Each structure stands twice: as structure tokens, then as C-alpha cells.
């Protein structure tokens, strides 16, 4: 994978995860998936989570990249963003 493509993938993944989890406890945020052709999947693991003031400082890693996110330190986010959790993103 070229560096530029990996960088674009990382930015797309960061945007999707941030949008999807920005409000971890908001029901109805995501639309149900419609039946369509299989899409590529990017898998990452939460490797570090540290409480910093009102945020969870989380590092997500795959075999090609490592990204850092700040999620609200709510109970709902804490259930989802925990060390060793697996995250999947479908493009």
C-alpha cells in the first residue's frame, strides 16, 4: 500500500470512527445497512485508553497504522472504547 493511500485510508477511518462514536450513547445515529455487495473491512484494536479530564484518550492500531482519538468520557463510551476491543470499519 502506498504511503498516500494509507494516509487517505487513515483519515477516512478516523472520520468514520469519530462520527460513529462522537456521541456513543445516541440511539439511531447509524442507519441500518441495506443488502449490497460485500465491502472491504479495516480492522483495528484499541491498544491504550487513558482518562484525561472529560475525555478518553484512545489509541487504535492496525497492521498499517496507529491513530489517536479523544472520546467523551461517558459510561456509554467507556463500554465501547476499552483496551483490547476490536473495531471494524467498512468502506
Amino acid at each position: 500500500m502506498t504511503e498516500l493511500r494509507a494516509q487517505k485510508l487513515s483519515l477516512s477511518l478516523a472520520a468514520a470512527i469519530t462520527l460513529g462514536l462522537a456521541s456513543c450513547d445516541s440511539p439511531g445515529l447509524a442507519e441500518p445497512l441495506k443488502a449490497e455487495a460485500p465491502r472491504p473491512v479495516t480492522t483495528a484494536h484499541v491498544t491504550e485508553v487513558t482518562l484525561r479530564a472529560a475525555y478518553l484518550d484512545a489509541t487504535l492500531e492496525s497492521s498499517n497504522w496507529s491513530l489517536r482519538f479523544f472520546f467523551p468520557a461517558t459510561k456509554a463510551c467507556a463500554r465501547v472504547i476499552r483496551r483490547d476491543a476490536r473495531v471494524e470499519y467498512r468502506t
Side-chain angles (χ1 to χ4, degrees):
M1 180 180 300
T2 67
E3 185 175 327
L4 180 59
R5 184 173 174 192
Q7 196 172 39
K8 285 182 180 180
L9 175 63
S10 295
L11 291 174
S12 296
L13 179 63
I17 291 172
T18 301
L19 178 62
L21 296 173
S23 182
C24 297
D25 56 352
S26 293
L29 183 63
E31 296 276 328
L33 291 177
K34 297 177 182 175
E36 32 184 81
R39 295 182 277 173
V41 176
T42 299
T43 303
H45 292 88
V46 180
T47 58
E48 296 291 330
V49 179
T50 304
L51 180 62
R52 298 194 192 281
Y55 297 95
L56 298 173
D57 177 356
T59 302
L60 280 64
E61 295 183 358
S62 79
S63 58
N64 298 321
W65 48 262
S66 176
L67 298 171
R68 186 176 178 194
F69 296 89
F70 289 86
F71 299 100
T74 63
K75 289 180 182 179
C77 284
R79 283 193 305 268
V80 177
I81 305 301
R82 62 187 191 285
R83 188 178 173 101
D84 297 326
R86 188 176 93 167
V87 178
E88 287 186 354
Y89 171 68
R90 295 177 191 273
T91 58

